[in-house]
């Protein structure tokens, strides 16, 4: 069994490696005060630039194959998926029913539970969620995304991700892809289709400092898994 002193040495080495040489905090890009503060604490959760509140519109009936449901533009009456006119007052008449916006704050685990939002009769449906990501400079960030089931993501009208699946559960770290953000407000639109059962999505947007922080956390989890493993 590993001694306590050995355990402390391992954790001390991890802190040193994450924080920078000779125990000094890693330096964040100039002008990014929050990122610098985060980088100085290796175990802090990374700053997330993704929307914290979403305007959700739906549900729409998904007819035909799953890829057809993802490729059907249900937002044509309000400008289409590339440039939808969505705000808190948006509503659509679909199949004789009025679909109105529902504002949803993300859960503690960064997820949006569409099944919980809409309750019963959520099989073979599609919904949209729009949010705003605000940054102080143009940059390319890393998107970490999960969905139940298939999904499409647009940023500022440009499709940046599309996934067709016969069905999967919501794992927040399933997909990763790069997203260019412009200075100021960036419109993020997520479309999720559901076959049956659970339905929802999760999105994080990490800048360079956030990605470094995420890697530090992953190293910590790895060290903890070694420490908690039963002796061989």
């Amino acid at each position: 069994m590993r001694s306590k002193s050995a355990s402390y040495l391992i954790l001390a080495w991890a802190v040193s490696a994450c924080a920078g040489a000779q125990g000094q905090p890693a330096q964040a890009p100039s002008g990014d005060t929050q990122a610098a503060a985060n980088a100085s604490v290796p175990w802090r959760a990374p700053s997330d630039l993704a929307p914290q509140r979403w305007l959700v519109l739906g549900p729409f009936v998904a007819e035909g194959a799953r890829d057809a449901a993802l490729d059907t533009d249900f937002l044509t009456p309000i400008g289409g998926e590339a440039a939808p006119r969505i705000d808190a007052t948006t509503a659509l008449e679909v199949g004789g029913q009025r679909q109105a916006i529902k504002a949803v704050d993300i859960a503690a685990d960064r997820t949006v539970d569409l099944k919980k939002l809409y309750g019963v009769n959520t099989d073979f449906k599609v919904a949209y969620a729009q949010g705003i990501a605000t940054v102080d400079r143009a940059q390319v960030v890393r998107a970490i995304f999960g969905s139940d089931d298939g999904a499409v993501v647009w940023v500022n009208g440009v499709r940046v991700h599309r996934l067709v699946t016969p069905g999967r559960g919501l794992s927040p770290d399933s997909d990763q892809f790069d997203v260019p953000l412009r200075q100021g407000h960036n419109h993020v639109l997520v479309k999720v289709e559901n076959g049956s059962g659970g339905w929802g999505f999760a999105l994080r947007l990490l800048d360079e400092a956030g990605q470094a922080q995420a890697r530090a956390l992953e190293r910590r989890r790895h060290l903890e898994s070694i420490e908690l493993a039963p002796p061989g």
Side-chain angles (χ1 to χ4, degrees), residues 60-122:
F60 303 92
V61 176
E63 298 180 346
R66 291 192 148 180
D67 57 343
L70 288 177
D71 293 336
T72 299
D73 190 343
F74 296 96
L75 302 183
T76 300
I78 56 172
E81 293 170 338
R85 298 182 297 276
I86 294 178
D87 59 32
T89 65
T90 301
L92 284 175
E93 292 290 335
V94 180
Q97 294 186 336
R98 185 176 184 271
Q99 309 289 12
I101 284 289
K102 295 180 181 290
V104 179
D105 293 321
I106 60 172
D109 60 358
R110 321 299 293 177
T111 61
V112 175
D113 189 339
L114 296 171
K115 184 173 180 63
K116 180 180 179 180
L117 178 66
Y118 289 117
V120 298
N121 194 24
T122 57

Side-chain angles (χ1 to χ4, degrees), residues 119-202:
V120 298
N121 194 24
T122 57
D123 291 351
F124 307 107
K125 296 294 194 302
V126 171
Y128 295 88
Q130 179 174 277
I132 303 295
T134 303
V135 293
D136 59 6
R137 59 184 175 85
Q139 58 189 293
V140 176
V141 300
R142 191 68 171 167
I144 302 176
F145 180 76
S147 63
D148 180 353
D149 291 307
V152 186
V153 181
W154 294 263
V155 176
N156 296 324
V158 177
R159 191 175 77 182
V160 295
H161 183 62
R162 179 179 182 271
L163 175 83
V164 179
T165 173
R168 69 174 184 176
L170 176 51
S171 175
D173 300 334
S174 295
D175 313 324
Q176 296 193 24
F177 48 94
D178 290 335
V179 173
L181 298 180
R182 62 196 181 198
Q183 182 179 10
H185 299 318
N186 295 265
H187 294 266
V188 182
L189 181 69
V190 178
K191 178 182 186 180
V192 188
E193 61 89 12
N194 184 43
S196 61
W199 186 22
F201 73 94

Side-chain angles (χ1 to χ4, degrees), residues 17-93:
C18 296
Q22 301 178 359
Q24 295 300 315
Q27 295 301 311
S30 176
D32 196 340
T33 305
Q34 184 61 48
N38 287 347
S40 67
V41 184
W43 304 151
R44 180 177 295 170
S47 296
D48 183 7
L49 302 175
Q52 308 296 298
R53 167 169 285 199
W54 296 88
L55 298 180
V56 181
L57 184 61
F60 303 92
V61 176
E63 298 180 346
R66 291 192 148 180
D67 57 343
L70 288 177
D71 293 336
T72 299
D73 190 343
F74 296 96
L75 302 183
T76 300
I78 56 172
E81 293 170 338
R85 298 182 297 276
I86 294 178
D87 59 32
T89 65
T90 301
L92 284 175
E93 292 290 335

Side-chain angles (χ1 to χ4, degrees), residues 214-228:
R215 289 191 294 269
L217 281 172
E218 187 60 31
R219 285 193 291 268
R220 179 194 181 189
R221 294 188 185 105
H222 177 65
L223 289 171
E224 288 178 338
S225 69
I226 295 174
E227 189 62 26
L228 295 174

